[in-house]
Amino acid sequence: MDYTHLSEFAVRPGALTLWRAELAPGAAWTADARPLTSVHVRHCRETDAADPRPGRGRWIGTIFEMDAPFHPAHWRETARRWHARHEGLRTTVTRHDVPEPERLVCVAADVAVTAEPIPGVTGSGAINEYLGATLESRLSPLRWPHCLLATVEHADTGDFTVLVAADHSVLDAYSQAIVILELRALYAEVTRGEPPRESPTFGSAADFAQWERDTAAALTPDCEAVRYWQRFLDGSGGMLPRFEPAITAEGRATVIAGGGTGAVVGGGELAALPQTSVSRKLLSLGELEQVERAVSERGHRLSVAVFTALAIAYRRAFGYISLRAIMPIATRPDLRWLESMGWFVNVVPLDLTLAPDLDLDSALESTRTVLRRSRTANDATWTRVLELLNCTDHPRFGISFLDIRALPDHELVESLRGHTLRAESYAPDEVFFWIVRATDGLRLSTRFPATFPEVEMDRFLTEFTRAMREFAGEQGGGDRTADTRASFALPSAAPDRVAESAPQAPRALTPARV
């Protein structure tokens, strides 16, 4: 499952329709005492209510091809059932310019779904362009619905493509991954005239928000997790860490004018430049399995090897002794939220400093120790921790690792051309990596500032690949079926997860066992 921009997904031509939730006639919102999560509040505060494109750089989503004929009435009912099932999709906020935005909800029976046909937009490029502009203008944490659906009916093949796009406040990376099979199952139930499956694992995102805020309120400066964060922030002058080479490159690029970029860095135009995005298959399945066997014999999991290789590459490519970043992790603390739609994400510190000789065994052991220690912060809400430590900074350098095999029926998702999506980012100072143990090998996606030379990122990724191969006793050799050089545009947010065990248990949704 690639993590990509919508523009990189080749939507087949067809009839485009938008689908949006709305309140049924006579229905009304009801005030709800349950709070928003801490990160949801922060997200609302950082959104400009007057911005004509509130979704620019902020929406996330999923796209796939449904292996069934398109029936508009069946799809409308599918979308209605989906909204009825998940209270997080039936919630919005009051005024955002107050210290604590209040939650509004509607009951499941009050949700209707409206179709909005888009005539004349039928070609692949036109569909992508239309949807990209629409999602930027219509998705916002301040305006409901916070989620839009789209279908593209393919008359020649008798099937259809489905797009799910949402503001981050109602969707996270794990939701992006599991929504494909959920909508497929709902559509099949509707087609067969069956009632929807019931399960205690469709817990309310609003109930999770209450749990999260109660947990956050219990934090104090003396908590072990807060002290752990304090030591982490002390290592970067009280700020969250950055991808240092990109900052250096930005300093070198004081003025960039013309040359096809249209950027004048010193004139404040950097935010208008889309970030550079790269996605690569770094190791073939054969190579990756060799690495997995080798690190397993050393007593480690693949996640440990991945983070160790990143630290090695950071030193070899750029000369930095320590790799310091944040790790977004899924945080669904109970099985009742296992299949929920919502924003269930926390952030934990990552500080890797390897010995000078880069001995592989000691490097792996050092990384495992750091990853185990990071568990201290698993359930400590990062936004609340930063408040306690008087840090107003925001994440600029993040790393996530996902083993796709932890997701149910991941091979079926691949056959449906399932892709998780993110909006193009325009941040001038953010660098994020998403590493995926996919069904066909090791894949990596990254986004980084337009000022950072692609050749420098290429060098870093090459060193990361070399370090991974060294775990299997290779020196850059082995099966070369993976394309480790050619890049193409690709990756907020997503997958926001470090996991290596199956999702049938709550702990599968927290950082990898190491």
Side-chain angles (χ1 to χ4, degrees):
M1 181 187 293
D2 281 334
Y3 187 34
T4 183
H5 292 149
L6 177 59
S7 61
E8 295 301 317
F9 183 89
V11 178
R12 290 186 287 129
L16 173 64
T17 304
L18 296 182
W19 304 82
R20 68 179 186 277
E22 62 180 18
L23 291 182
W29 293 103
T30 301
D32 193 291
R34 290 169 296 179
L36 309 180
T37 62
S38 302
V39 70
H40 193 168
V41 171
R42 177 174 174 143
H43 186 56
C44 289
R45 289 173 180 167
E46 292 175 348
T47 301
D48 181 359
D51 188 346
R53 292 193 291 170
R56 184 176 185 263
R58 296 160 72 95
W59 69 268
I60 61 174
T62 299
I63 194 166
F64 67 100
E65 294 184 349
M66 188 76 79
D67 54 343
F70 180 66
H71 192 295
H74 291 170
W75 177 254
R76 187 194 303 271
E77 174 62 11
T78 297
R80 189 201 65 78
R81 289 188 181 190
W82 187 57
H83 282 83
R85 171 181 284 170
H86 297 291
E87 189 177 34
L89 302 177
R90 296 182 279 105
T91 187
T92 190
V93 299
T94 58
R95 292 174 49 193
H96 74 292
D97 55 347
V98 293
E100 185 66 41
E102 294 180 351
R103 182 186 297 275
L104 299 175
V105 299
C106 67
V107 298
D110 286 345
V111 173
V113 173
T114 296
E116 185 180 332
I118 311 298
V121 181
T122 57
S124 296
I127 290 172
N128 278 5
E129 184 177 353
Y130 180 88
L131 288 174
T134 299
L135 301 179
E136 285 193 352
S137 65
R138 293 172 61 170
L139 290 177
S140 166
L142 310 180
R143 189 167 64 241
W144 192 80
H146 305 298
C147 178
L148 290 174
L149 304 173
T151 56
V152 181
E153 182 183 4
H154 310 298
D156 56 339
T157 55
D159 54 6
F160 62 108
T161 295
V162 175
L163 167 71
V164 180
D167 179 74
H168 210 334
S169 57
V170 298
L171 208 68
D172 62 13
Y174 188 70
S175 304
Q176 286 177 273
I178 64 174
V179 70
I180 296 175
L181 295 183
E182 181 182 10
L183 289 177
R184 181 176 181 270
L186 280 171
Y187 190 72
E189 290 166 353
V190 172
T191 301
R192 295 192 297 260
E194 300 172 353
R197 176 175 67 94
E198 300 293 337
S199 173
T201 58
F202 296 125
S204 169
D207 288 342
F208 168 78
Q210 184 69 67
W211 175 90
E212 184 272 329
R213 292 298 293 273
D214 290 344
T215 303
L219 291 172
T220 71
D222 294 326
C223 291
E224 182 182 2
V226 179
R227 294 199 304 269
Y228 185 81
W229 266 102
Q230 179 69 76
R231 293 190 295 271
F232 180 68
L233 295 175
D234 288 345
S236 49
M239 305 287 283
L240 293 170
R242 305 188 184 192
F243 189 78
E244 296 294 337
I247 298 173
T248 302
E250 183 180 335
R252 291 197 303 264
T254 305
V255 176
I256 301 175
T261 65
V264 181
V265 177
E269 297 298 324
L270 264 180
L273 287 174
Q275 284 201 320
T276 304
S277 293
V278 170
S279 178
R280 294 184 184 174
K281 180 181 174 183
L282 299 179
L283 297 176
S284 69
L285 181 59
E287 285 183 294
L288 182 56
E289 288 176 340
Q290 290 179 26
V291 172
E292 289 173 326
R293 286 193 294 269
V295 297
S296 178
E297 290 171 359
R298 288 182 163 106
H300 300 286
R301 292 177 175 268
L302 179 61
S303 57
V304 176
V306 165
F307 284 98
T308 303
L310 287 169
I312 291 173
Y314 201 58
R315 181 177 302 185
R316 287 175 174 171
F318 306 122
Y320 292 97
I321 299 301
S322 299
L323 174 68
R324 307 184 74 256
I326 56 94
M327 286 194 301
I329 62 168
T331 175
R332 301 183 183 217
D334 189 271
L335 277 172
R336 59 179 157 154
W337 293 299
L338 186 63
E339 297 183 89
S340 296
M341 294 291 113
W343 197 1
F344 303 83
V345 176
N346 198 21
V347 166
V348 299
L350 176 68
D351 190 344
L352 293 174
T353 303
L354 306 181
D357 61 2
L358 293 182
D359 173 75
L360 293 186
D361 284 319
S362 62
L364 287 166
E365 189 59 42
S366 178
T367 298
R368 178 166 65 176
T369 298
V370 168
L371 292 177
R372 283 178 168 173
R373 286 175 180 167
S374 73
R375 295 175 181 172
T376 301
N378 279 4
D379 295 326
T381 300
W382 69 277
T383 51
R384 177 55 182 157
V385 170
L386 295 189
E387 287 178 359
L388 290 171
L389 299 177
N390 297 314
C391 177
T392 59
D393 202 10
H394 67 273
R396 291 181 173 87
F397 180 22
I399 305 171
S400 291
F401 172 74
L402 169 70
D403 189 333
I404 201 72
R405 296 170 299 179
L407 300 177
D409 294 324
H410 59 89
E411 292 177 339
L412 174 57
V413 170
E414 292 281 351
S415 72
L416 298 175
R417 292 187 68 206
H419 287 60
T420 50
L421 303 174
R422 66 171 183 84
E424 283 195 89
S425 175
Y426 298 84
D429 57 358
E430 295 179 2
V431 177
F432 279 80
F433 294 100
W434 296 269
I435 300 112
V436 177
R437 198 294 184 194
T439 55
D440 62 348
L442 188 71
R443 294 183 175 271
L444 181 145
S445 299
T446 179
R447 63 174 175 88
F448 51 93
T451 52
F452 187 62
E454 287 190 60
V455 66
E456 293 293 298
M457 185 59 73
D458 181 83
R459 186 157 60 96
F460 174 71
L461 299 185
T462 298
E463 290 293 351
F464 172 65
T465 306
R466 179 161 74 99
M468 288 295 295
R469 289 192 175 115
E470 288 173 1
F471 292 128
E474 302 177 23
Q475 297 296 323
D479 179 0
R480 296 312 180 124
T481 58
D483 178 6
T484 62
R485 303 293 296 182
S487 65
F488 54 93
L490 196 132
S492 88
D496 308 276
R497 184 164 178 249
V498 181
E500 282 210 72
S501 51
Q504 283 74 25
R507 289 299 95 190
L509 301 173
T510 54
R513 291 177 290 136
V514 293

